[in-house]
Amino acid sequence: MPMRGWPLIKLLPSKTNFRFVRYSPVLGTLSILMCVAALVGFFVPGLNMGIDFSGGASMEISKPAGQVINQDEVSSAVSALGLQDVGVQGIARLDSNAVDGSTMLLRFQVPEGADQTEIVQQVETAITETIGEVTYSGVSVVGSKVSGELFQKGLMALGMATILMFLYIWFRFEPQFGLGAVVGLVHDVIMTFGLIVVMQLEFSLNMVAAILTVIGYSMNDTVVVFDRLRENLRKYKTMPLREVIDLSINETLSRTIVTGITAVMVLVVLAALGGEVLFGFSIALMFGIIVGTYSSVYVAAPVILLWGVKRGEFAEEAKPIKLGGASRP
């Protein structure tokens, strides 16, 4: 008895004939404008640096369920110690995943050269004297020197990942394919940074991991389109390049949609149930997957159209292999 497929997949048409290239000039211009705006936002107002990159300390403060912690009192108690950049926000409880005011996340800057352990103890004492007995957990302290090194290494990781992806595409396909892939990758990274700035998501090591994952997903999606494009360039030797690009994208569209929807569904659950730590990671990755799919269609492929392809490089079919004196394809 044949296995039945997922019923919702049947809603997707088996064959589409969208003319993607027709709209690439308009959407390409829109992408450029949005990338410029994202780059401006990278500096003004800038990234909301987390403890990993800005240095400082963070800790969770909690009371039994139902007992509300006064954020203003906590903030005033910590600020009275002369500490800077004090921030207090409510987060969900681990046992119920509900935000009821009984659990807070506290962040503050540790003065340069100060004893980190001593400062944390002073903060805990001041809070306890102000609001009574509370439970402290998830204490994290990062020095300014270490945070600067982490930020540099994080940016280096993003740059090296992009370069390696370009080399991979260049050796597997042709230079124009490599350029299209890199332009798409840079577009995805810049747009993801733009979302982080607009939503003021905390930029931490988790966010670097999310962007690296976006780079990998975007490249995987681009390779699928490029591989089909290369096959069709050999198959349709006289068809105009723009029509070959449209055909290749349409032939891989259903696979792209199903893969993207599957990944987004998982990330929606992770964003809803993963708590404060994984929320920004999930949102950035979800947005990156959507933008990565868009860039494969309206950024990477149109670059090949602008550069052009020497059809002679793809015109020759594979030469027949001689087996036992006879030629076989």
Side-chain angles (χ1 to χ4, degrees):
M1 182 177 179
M3 183 178 296
R4 294 182 178 180
W6 186 34
L8 294 180
I9 293 180
K10 296 180 180 180
L11 298 177
L12 297 176
S14 58
K15 184 178 180 181
T16 58
N17 190 30
F18 298 116
R19 301 179 66 179
F20 294 101
V21 176
R22 170 191 289 182
Y23 304 102
S24 58
V26 175
L27 292 177
T29 303
L30 179 62
S31 294
I32 292 174
L33 295 176
M34 293 182 68
C35 285
V36 171
L39 288 174
V40 172
F42 184 84
F43 298 100
V44 180
L47 295 172
N48 177 24
M49 295 292 189
I51 296 296
D52 295 333
F53 297 139
S54 63
S58 66
M59 63 175 66
E60 291 184 13
I61 308 169
S62 61
K63 283 189 173 185
Q67 298 185 21
V68 178
I69 297 176
N70 190 307
Q71 296 186 32
D72 294 334
E73 291 182 355
V74 173
S75 179
S76 299
V78 178
S79 299
L81 297 175
L83 301 178
Q84 303 295 323
D85 296 333
V86 179
V88 184
Q89 66 181 88
I91 59 175
R93 295 181 60 87
L94 292 177
D95 53 1
S96 62
N97 197 39
V99 180
D100 59 359
S102 63
T103 304
M104 297 289 166
L105 180 64
L106 169 66
R107 294 186 178 92
F108 55 89
Q109 289 288 336
V110 176
E112 188 72 26
D115 187 290
Q116 298 175 347
T117 303
E118 182 179 348
I119 293 296
V120 171
Q121 291 177 349
Q122 291 177 3
V123 169
E124 292 179 353
T125 301
I127 293 175
T128 302
E129 292 176 351
T130 303
I131 63 174
E133 289 295 328
V134 293
T135 301
Y136 302 97
S137 61
V139 180
S140 175
V141 182
V142 179
S144 57
K145 181 178 180 181
V146 175
S147 63
E149 293 177 353
L150 288 175
F151 184 68
Q152 293 177 0
K153 291 181 179 180
L155 294 182
M156 287 177 59
L158 296 177
M160 291 179 63
T162 303
I163 293 173
L164 290 175
M165 292 298 181
F166 169 72
L167 294 176
Y168 167 72
I169 291 293
W170 191 354
F171 283 108
R172 178 167 177 176
F173 297 100
E174 299 294 331
Q176 60 267 42
F177 286 85
L179 177 62
V182 168
V183 171
L185 284 181
V186 172
H187 169 273
D188 298 343
V189 171
I190 293 176
M191 293 293 288
T192 305
F193 270 113
L195 176 77
I196 295 172
V197 172
V198 170
M199 296 188 64
Q200 282 296 289
L201 299 175
E202 183 179 284
F203 187 70
S204 61
L205 289 176
N206 284 344
M207 204 62 75
V208 173
I211 296 176
L212 288 172
T213 306
V214 168
I215 289 176
Y217 183 92
S218 176
M219 179 55 64
N220 176 72
D221 200 37
T222 302
V223 166
V224 171
V225 175
F226 282 2
D227 201 43
R228 184 58 59 89
L229 175 58
R230 184 172 59 177
E231 293 177 2
N232 286 335
L233 285 171
R234 294 193 181 104
K235 187 176 180 181
Y236 304 101
K237 304 180 182 66
T238 59
M239 181 181 292
L241 181 57
R242 62 174 54 242
E243 294 183 15
V244 178
I245 293 176
D246 279 339
L247 176 64
S248 303
I249 297 174
N250 278 288
E251 289 180 347
T252 58
L253 187 60
S254 60
R255 176 262 179 203
T256 300
I257 293 176
V258 171
T259 304
I261 290 177
T262 303
V264 168
M265 286 193 300
V266 174
L267 291 171
V268 168
V269 176
L270 188 62
L273 303 179
E276 186 74 22
V277 177
L278 295 179
F279 178 78
F281 172 87
S282 305
I283 294 298
L285 191 51
M286 194 186 314
F287 177 79
I289 288 176
I290 297 173
V291 171
T293 301
Y294 163 84
S295 68
S296 298
V297 176
Y298 285 112
V299 179
V303 167
I304 299 176
L305 181 63
L306 292 176
W307 185 320
V309 174
K310 296 179 181 179
R311 303 300 286 269
E313 298 175 356
F314 300 93
E316 295 183 2
E317 298 290 343
K319 295 181 179 179
I321 302 175
K322 293 184 178 181
L323 297 175
S327 296
R328 299 180 60 182

